[in-house]
Amino acid sequence: MRLSVIIVNYNVKYFLEQALYSVRKAMQGINGEVIVVDNHSVDGSVELVRAKFPEVVLIANKDNPGFSKANNQGIAIAKGEYILLLNPDTVVEEDTFSKCLEFMENHPQAGALGVKMVDGKGIFLPESKRSLPTPSVSFFKIFGLSAMFPKSRVFGRYHLGYLNPAEVHEIDVLPGAFMFIRKSVLDKIGWLDEAFFMYGEDIDLSYRVQLGGYKNYYYPHTRIIHYKGESTKKGSLNYVRIFYQAMVIFARKHFSKRNASIYAFFINIAVFLRAIMAIAGRMAGQLALPLMDALLLFGGMYMLKLFWAASIKGASSYYPPVYIQYVVPSYILIWLLAVYFSGGYDRPLRTARTVRGVALGTLIIATIYAFLDESLRFSRGMILLGAVWATGAMIGLRYLTEIIRGRKLAFGEKHTPRIAIVGGLQEARRALSLLTQAGVENRYIGFVSPYAHEAQEEHYLGNVTGLANIRAIYDLDEIIFCSKDIKVSTIIDFMEQLGPELNFKILPENSPSIIGSNSKNTAGDLYAIDINLEIATNMSQRNKRLFDIAVCLGIIPLLPFLLPRVHNASKLVANWGQVFIGRKSWVGYASAKDIGRSYWLPRIKPGVFSPVDRIKNVPLPDETTKDRLNLLYAKDYRVADDFKIVIRNLKRLGA
């Protein structure tokens, strides 16, 4: 047998499905096998592989032993002359395996091979080729010098940015997403080091290939899409910590004891500084727009005060100092909070959310104003003028910041993307049906034929040879490719040609999911019947947390009434404390241990109650029904749902 493809999967069912379809096509004409090692996924991955890919050798672990150990499980049963370690969040071209086999056979000194990787927008991923993380290379990487000077032979060595990505190169480190290795080399140098749980094993293995007397090559004449996965949130502090801890393990293994200790010391210092910088940067990013809003509002209200006092009230000293020192800041705070809870600071910025927030804030201010002492009620006109200024100033500021960022400000609540579907009539209609079933809002433009002879039929806008013109004519935002009818290599060609301003997604053959990614720095996303969930939005998460706190505060004056009536008073107090500090929510999913058995659901806090608790006088649902109730709860989440569940179960607050 020539090739064994090993894929380690963990809770990325839809991406795994697409990867396996692409692998099935690339394996045609090759004597090979596919091995999937599942690390105890709870999203139905195992069931999917068994049902749709009976040719795959499946190892279903009962726990998560880590990436390295799972790959070693696959290597242990592999029969191929070559081993490919492949991530599940990838799509390979139809000729990827045959070209890699040809290269390896023509280069006997090659121990391992990596290929050109692009993200979900067709942008080249620099981690396709890397150097060893020596102390200097790691220093330049951690402190951003490699990003500032990517093509420098001094600072840009981490990603070898000075090497032409269109040419074959001998390199130090291959990406773990795609490592094509001779089995004989693995047997000689040893398999993956299981001391590395998730990161760093690719660097260690690549280095040992070199120590064994072989070469690692970067090969750009075939490509893969790498969605930079669901299981690797590379922007998180946790990722930074785990990744650089892996670098310390590597240093202690391969550097001298003294050098390893020095390396580990500086790495730990660097991680600490990087964490501080990341937190500071995140806070600055989150607070910049609200602070600018506050300054604009204060400046505007101050000028309005001067105008109103002189022109309307007839006295420049009409407003006492307390007005500008306390009253105006209070107005501004209410407006900002109302805009925040209306989603006015969520990306992408929407003017409708800002307008709604200012309107809500004005209503709150007017309500409070009516109950204030006469000495603090200065002018309703100033409130109304302030609301007008707040609306105009905030929208203007957002418009300016989006222009600077090179983006368009959406004036509606939600920008509805203009979508075209590239595929044969049957698959294109299936894609459109999936969009409809998933509840995806879009302005469907039409189908684009992958076949030249169908270009003039009324069903189509044209064929793929004119896709660039079709995109320009219809001002498309997104293109969906049906992979049954168009090759992956052609899809990548169009992704690279049309540019990153477009969003691209792929409908795999026989799959209920449409998969893509809008940024190399974000995990893959997809459209599927059970995926577009309201509870996953920032606004819903924020409102859910706000509801939890409101209920906690509301319970306090009701305790004398509730304590004699609940089933377990001490448990009520415990639940209250857990919810208040954010470890629990008043409402979570049913059967938390089974979450994701049939559907992917975003994580929320464990609940005191669940969607099942809306049901009265009905036998307890089975697990399938619970899953469906969880899905409906997440898909159409509203704070009112939580309120109804809590009200119905007041006596069970101590459950």
Side-chain angles (χ1 to χ4, degrees):
M1 185 176 289
R2 297 187 71 195
L3 177 62
S4 296
V5 179
I6 300 173
I7 301 175
V8 175
N9 176 70
Y10 180 65
N11 286 329
V12 285
K13 176 175 72 172
Y14 297 99
F15 293 90
L16 173 65
E17 180 182 21
Q18 179 173 241
L20 288 174
Y21 278 126
S22 71
V23 166
R24 180 184 280 172
K25 289 183 179 180
M27 196 67 88
Q28 290 179 7
I30 297 173
N31 181 19
E33 63 180 351
V34 182
I35 301 169
V36 170
V37 185
D38 185 83
N39 278 349
H40 196 49
S41 296
V42 293
D43 66 345
S45 294
V46 169
E47 292 80 1
L48 177 138
V49 173
R50 286 173 176 160
K52 290 192 173 184
F53 302 95
E55 75 276 16
V56 169
V57 179
L58 176 65
I59 299 175
N61 289 322
K62 299 303 181 185
D63 60 359
N64 183 0
F67 183 78
S68 296
K69 187 170 182 178
N71 269 303
N72 286 342
Q73 288 178 274
I75 295 171
I77 64 171
K79 302 170 186 166
E81 179 184 352
Y82 294 92
I83 302 291
L84 171 60
L85 306 182
L86 184 69
N87 269 25
D89 55 346
T90 57
V91 184
V92 301
E93 292 184 333
E94 289 78 7
D95 62 359
T96 293
F97 298 163
S98 59
K99 283 189 173 181
C100 288
L101 287 167
E102 180 183 6
F103 181 90
M104 296 295 281
E105 289 173 357
N106 291 335
H107 297 78
Q109 77 279 20
L113 182 71
V115 299
K116 182 179 181 180
M117 301 192 303
V118 300
D119 69 5
K121 281 181 169 284
I123 300 172
F124 172 70
L125 291 172
E127 57 265 36
S128 300
K129 47 184 175 59
R130 288 180 291 167
S131 67
L132 285 173
T134 61
S136 61
V137 170
S138 299
F139 178 87
F140 298 146
K141 172 69 169 68
I142 292 171
F143 289 99
L145 292 172
S146 62
M148 293 173 62
F149 308 101
K151 296 188 180 298
S152 167
R153 289 183 175 270
V154 176
F155 300 120
R157 287 163 55 202
Y158 186 83
H159 286 134
L160 301 172
Y162 51 86
L163 297 180
N164 188 340
E167 298 176 357
V168 175
H169 298 287
E170 182 184 342
I171 60 174
D172 291 329
V173 177
L174 303 175
F178 186 103
M179 300 185 77
F180 199 98
I181 313 171
R182 296 183 195 273
K183 179 62 160 55
S184 59
V185 172
L186 277 174
D187 290 336
K188 177 181 177 181
I189 66 173
W191 301 351
L192 279 72
D193 188 338
E194 295 177 10
F196 299 91
F197 181 83
M198 189 170 180
Y199 303 116
E201 70 292 321
D202 49 356
I203 299 174
D204 174 71
L205 187 59
S206 298
Y207 186 49
R208 286 191 284 118
V209 168
Q210 293 180 317
L211 293 178
Y214 300 92
K215 296 180 179 180
N216 297 314
Y217 281 95
Y218 162 75
Y219 180 71
H221 301 310
T222 187
R223 301 159 298 182
I224 70 169
I225 301 173
H226 182 206
Y227 290 110
K228 289 179 69 78
E230 286 288 294
S231 55
T232 56
K233 310 298 184 185
K234 293 184 180 290
S236 69
L237 293 178
N238 189 52
Y239 162 75
V240 172
R241 179 182 61 82
I242 295 174
F243 178 79
Y244 288 112
Q245 281 180 351
M247 296 302 94
V248 170
I249 296 173
F250 175 83
R252 287 174 175 161
K253 179 176 179 180
H254 295 292
F255 297 170
S256 67
K257 186 174 181 180
R258 179 176 180 276
N259 288 341
S261 298
I262 295 173
Y263 183 87
F265 173 77
F266 282 109
I267 283 288
N268 288 326
I269 293 294
V271 169
F272 176 73
L273 293 175
R274 177 73 176 268
I276 292 176
M277 292 167 58
I279 293 171
R282 190 174 300 171
M283 289 180 63
Q286 292 175 343
L287 294 177
L289 189 56
L291 285 175
M292 287 190 288
D293 281 342
L295 290 174
L296 267 179
L297 295 187
F298 187 83
M301 291 293 288
Y302 184 80
M303 298 304 294
L304 286 171
K305 181 208 77 161
L306 296 179
F307 166 78
W308 200 257
S311 302
I312 305 301
K313 299 299 182 181
S316 58
S317 60
Y318 177 80
Y319 292 102
V322 68
Y323 176 75
I324 204 69
Q325 292 173 357
Y326 298 105
V327 175
V328 168
S330 299
Y331 290 171
I332 292 172
L333 180 62
I334 292 172
W335 275 320
L336 293 182
L337 287 174
V339 170
Y340 172 76
F341 285 110
S342 296
Y345 295 108
D346 294 342
R347 294 282 177 182
L349 297 175
R350 309 287 185 197
T351 58
R353 299 171 186 169
T354 303
V355 173
R356 183 175 61 206
V358 173
L360 176 62
T362 304
L363 180 63
I364 294 171
I365 291 170
T367 302
I368 295 173
Y369 181 90
F371 291 96
L372 289 176
D373 184 85
E374 187 69 31
S375 63
L376 295 176
R377 285 190 277 172
F378 294 99
S379 172
R380 291 185 179 88
M382 283 293 293
I383 296 175
L384 294 176
L385 283 176
V388 173
W389 167 252
T391 302
M394 292 172 115
I395 291 175
L397 177 61
R398 281 150 181 74
Y399 184 74
L400 180 63
T401 56
E402 293 302 275
I403 287 178
I404 294 172
R405 290 170 175 263
R407 301 172 181 168
K408 294 180 181 178
L409 181 64
F411 284 88
E413 172 61 26
K414 185 181 292 186
H415 173 65
T416 305
R418 299 166 68 90
I419 294 177
I421 302 172
V422 181
L425 199 56
Q426 182 177 358
E427 281 294 278
R429 284 174 172 165
R430 188 169 74 88
L432 184 59
S433 174
L434 281 173
L435 291 177
T436 303
Q437 293 178 65
V440 177
E441 293 185 19
N442 68 86
R443 294 174 65 189
Y444 160 67
I445 301 302
F447 300 151
V448 178
S449 172
Y451 315 116
H453 66 277
E454 292 184 347
Q456 301 305 316
E457 291 195 11
E458 62 180 357
H459 303 295
Y460 294 109
L461 304 172
N463 63 40
V464 290
T465 59
L467 189 56
N469 290 334
I470 292 171
R471 175 266 177 103
I473 292 169
Y474 295 101
D475 193 23
L476 298 178
D477 299 295
E478 186 169 299
I479 296 175
I480 297 174
F481 295 99
C482 301
S483 64
K484 179 180 180 180
D485 305 317
I486 186 167
K487 291 183 177 180
V488 172
S489 56
T490 305
I491 293 174
I492 297 177
D493 286 340
F494 279 115
M495 290 165 64
E496 292 179 336
Q497 172 191 339
L498 296 175
E501 294 81 14
L502 273 175
N503 295 330
F504 303 100
K505 288 185 171 62
I506 299 174
L507 171 63
E509 183 178 359
N510 298 322
S511 173
S513 56
I514 302 173
I515 300 174
S517 180
N518 294 336
S519 168
K520 72 173 186 177
N521 297 317
T522 60
D525 57 12
L526 55 90
Y527 298 148
I529 295 173
D530 53 301
I531 290 303
N532 299 284
L533 308 174
E534 179 64 28
I535 203 168
T537 65
N538 289 335
M539 191 183 303
S540 292
Q541 294 279 336
R542 185 167 56 240
N543 290 344
K544 185 172 178 60
R545 178 62 184 147
L546 188 65
F547 171 79
D548 284 340
I549 294 174
V551 171
C552 286
L553 296 178
I555 284 176
I556 294 174
L558 295 177
L559 279 177
F561 170 80
L562 290 173
L563 287 177
R565 291 170 174 79
V566 297
H567 299 310
N568 187 327
S570 61
K571 191 63 184 293
L572 165 59
V573 174
N575 285 339
W576 187 96
Q578 293 285 298
V579 173
F580 190 77
I581 64 176
R583 290 186 178 177
K584 280 186 176 182
S585 174
W586 287 115
V587 183
Y589 297 130
S591 302
K593 61 179 172 38
D594 294 322
I595 287 305
R597 189 172 61 87
S598 301
Y599 306 103
W600 179 88
L601 293 175
R603 289 186 179 275
I604 60 175
K605 300 295 182 183
V608 177
F609 305 118
S610 77
V612 173
D613 292 308
R614 292 187 67 172
I615 304 171
K616 291 287 188 180
N617 304 318
V618 175
L620 189 66
D622 58 24
E623 292 302 311
T624 301
T625 305
K626 287 181 183 178
D627 271 356
R628 189 64 186 174
L629 289 172
N630 287 332
L631 171 63
L632 294 173
Y633 173 76
K635 184 175 177 61
D636 302 314
Y637 174 77
R638 298 291 183 274
V639 170
D641 297 336
D642 285 358
F643 181 76
K644 290 176 183 177
I645 292 171
V646 170
I647 291 298
R648 284 188 175 217
N649 294 275
L650 284 176
K651 292 184 178 181
R652 298 182 57 246
L653 286 170

